[in-house]
Each structure stands twice: as structure tokens, then as C-alpha cells.
Amino acid sequence: MTTTPTVSTASSAPPPSTPPASPGQRLRAVLQGNFRQYGMVAALAVIVILFQVWTSGILLKPLNVTNIVQQNGYILILAIGMVIVIISGHIDLSVGSIAGFVGAMSAVLMIKNDMPWPLAVLLCLLLGAVIGAWQGFWIAYVGIPSFIVTLAGMLVFRGATQYLLEGQSIAPFPRSFSQVSSGFLPEIGGGGGLYHWPTVILGLFVMAAAVWQQVRQRRTQSRYGFDVSPLGWFVFKCAAIVAALAAFTLLLASYRGVPVVGIILAVAFVIYAFVMRSTVFGRQVYAVGGNEAAARLSGVKNKRVTFLVFVNMGLLSALAGLLFAARLNSATPQAGIGMELEAIAAAFIGGASASGGVGTVLGAIIGGFVLGVLNNGMSLIGIGSDVQQVIKGLVLLAAVGFDIYNKKKGGS
């Protein structure tokens, strides 16, 4: 008798599918993945609100907001370069001395030698890039630790500044050059209205660009199968960005408009955020800082990447030095002292990791504004400079400690 073979249904049944994540689970995952960045934004908002109350509304007056941008523009420029250096797994202690040296050189060229200021600016930026290349050579190709090379650079260029200026200040700069740091976007049609309309138009453009970037990023994540935040949270996030930019725009537009240094900072932010997020070089910087050996095995030219990172840092140090000199309208032997500490603090407060491979340009900007608002707010309510230093040190310690705590918690 022939028996009919039986087919096991268990082996042919499809494997159980994983149920799709609920909107709440997706939102939780997004918040956890960006906790540090959202946390610093929330911290900045809390600091602004507290000092707005403690200063009886002076903090957010248009004139004071403009002062915060102008006073911290050169630190934010340095913070952009510093966060890239830290992401690559290095540190740069020489940026303040380079800024002071380039500022002194600009005074020698413009004031003592009557060189046209655009040409002098170009030469000074080139000088900063050459200094960065010099330090990058020792770090990348000779193998000397960046801490040692840049510490030596800090001493060398501090002494060079003293020598170049002969211990004396040089002033004043040409008015057209000083306007780079203290000037504003020109008005259209003579002005006289309630708001500075070129600033309003520029603000609308920035809002549209910010929302477009968020939509583009969400589409890219969806295209490659990454989890995206729920639509409601995405709409709320875009609305919050637009609201914050609109408030900032109107504050600036109700005084004299956006400062020229603010435009320079915005252009630098857009360029470097794009480079670090959307280019091969940016991904290589993260790879080198995250795991240098793995990056080398993957074909990344580690030495070349490190060299270019320090060339860029030298260029941005020169730009910061020019902005600082233009703001003071003079070159002084003490210019640049402490700038490196402010830039490093801004990068770490904004989410950069001391071990490398982690950080964003936006985070460095947020960290810089946290320090800037703290400095401005504490000065307005009469806190002494000694106490200010203590508070800023504690904020830096808390930010780095929080980062280490999160890493240990994630690894447990």
C-alpha cells in the first residue's frame, strides 16, 4: 500500500514578523539618539529665560542681543574649527595665540605699511592656513601628539605677537575694515520703518532653508530605511525652529539689523555643517576620530585628513583674529589670551566627545551661545569675573561628565 507523504507545515510557515514600532516608540528612539543635542537646546532656553527674568528683561532687548552676537562671533568661529579638531581625535591649544598673531600682522600690514585692507585680509587668512599646515605636518606626518605641538604653538605665537608689536598696541584700523566686525547689513531705501527689512527678508530665507533641510534629511532617512520620527513630532520640531528663528530675526531687525559678523558666522555655519554632514571628507573626519585603525583599513588616508583638519583650524583662527582686531579697532599684545579655552569649552558643552568621533557644528554653536549668554547675563546682574569663571568651569565639567555618564550607561 502506497502512503502519501506528509508535509510539515511548521517548516514552511513564514517567520513571525516584527510588529512595526508605534509612534511613541519611534519618538522615544529619536529623543534618545539626539538626547545630548536636544538637552543643550533646552539648557540654552532655560538659561535665556532665567537671565531674562533676573535682568528684568534687559537680556533680550534688541541692542543686547546684537551685542551678544558681535561679542561672541570670533569665539563661535573658533568653536566651529575646534569641534572638527576634537571630532578627529585631537585638540588645539594654539588657536588664541594664532588669532592674536594674525591680528597683529594685520595691523602691521594695514596701519604701518598702508596696504589695502582686502589684500591684507587675504594675506592674513593665507598666513593662518600656513600656520595650520605647519602644525598639521608635525602632528599628522611626524606623529607628535597634537597637545604638545599646539602647546608649543601657543608659546611660539604668543611670543611672536609680543615681538611683532614691540609690546605696544597699534591703532586705528581703516574704518572700512573695522566695519567688518561692528557694521550691519545695509538698509534698503533709506530705512525708517519699524523693522530692518533686509534682515527680515534674510530671516525668511533662513527659515525656509532650515525647514527644507529638515524635510530633505527626513526623506533621505526614509529612502535608506532608517527610523524617522512621527509626523507630529516632525511638524512640531519644524515649527519650533521657525519660531526660534523668527523671534531672533525680529529682535535683530528691530534694532539696526543683522551684524556683518552674524552674516559671516551664518555662512561659516552653513558651509561647515554641510561639509561635516554631506561630504566624503566630513565622514572621514568622523571615521578617523571614532577608530583610527579601522578608518585606515577602510582606505581613509588618516594623515591627510588630520593635516587638512589643522589647516582649516589655522584658517579659522586667522579669521577669528581679524574679527577680534576689527572689533577692538586695534591690535594688542594681549589679544587672543583665553580664546582657546572658550572655543574648547563651547565644543564640549555642545556635545563633542573627549574621545573623538562625536560632535556637530550646530552643537558647537549652541555651546558657544550658552557661554555667551552666561557671560552676558552674569555681567548684567553684577556677578564678578571671578565667580563667572567658577560657574563656567562647573558648566563645562557637568557637560563632559554627563557625556561620560551616558556612554557608560549605554555600554552597560
Side-chain angles (χ1 to χ4, degrees), residues 138-149:
W138 291 104
I139 295 166
Y141 295 104
V142 179
I144 302 177
S146 58
F147 181 89
I148 300 300
V149 173

Side-chain angles (χ1 to χ4, degrees), residues 224-238:
Y224 289 100
F226 293 105
D227 289 334
V228 295
S229 59
L231 181 60
W233 170 257
F234 176 75
V235 172
F236 172 78
K237 180 181 177 181
C238 290

Side-chain angles (χ1 to χ4, degrees), residues 142-221:
V142 179
I144 302 177
S146 58
F147 181 89
I148 300 300
V149 173
T150 58
L151 177 60
M154 179 177 70
L155 299 175
V156 167
F157 294 109
R158 177 56 50 199
T161 302
Q162 298 278 353
Y163 175 80
L164 195 61
L165 296 178
E166 299 178 345
Q168 299 178 348
S169 299
I170 300 179
F173 281 100
R175 178 173 174 79
S176 53
F177 173 72
S178 62
Q179 288 295 310
V180 172
S181 186
S182 59
F184 295 84
L185 186 67
E187 178 61 272
I188 297 176
L194 182 61
Y195 292 110
H196 186 267
W197 286 108
T199 298
V200 174
I201 294 171
L202 181 62
L204 291 173
F205 173 78
V206 172
M207 291 176 219
V211 172
W212 175 82
Q213 173 61 30
Q214 292 296 318
V215 172
R216 179 174 173 270
Q217 182 179 354
R218 182 181 175 87
R219 287 178 177 173
T220 301
Q221 290 174 339

Side-chain angles (χ1 to χ4, degrees), residues 362-396:
L362 176 59
I365 296 294
I366 294 172
F369 272 117
V370 167
L371 288 176
V373 173
L374 279 174
N375 287 333
N376 185 267
M378 289 188 292
S379 298
L380 288 176
I381 61 179
I383 296 178
S385 60
D386 50 353
V387 179
Q388 290 186 30
Q389 297 297 326
V390 171
I391 293 175
K392 289 190 292 184
L394 292 175
V395 169
L396 174 60

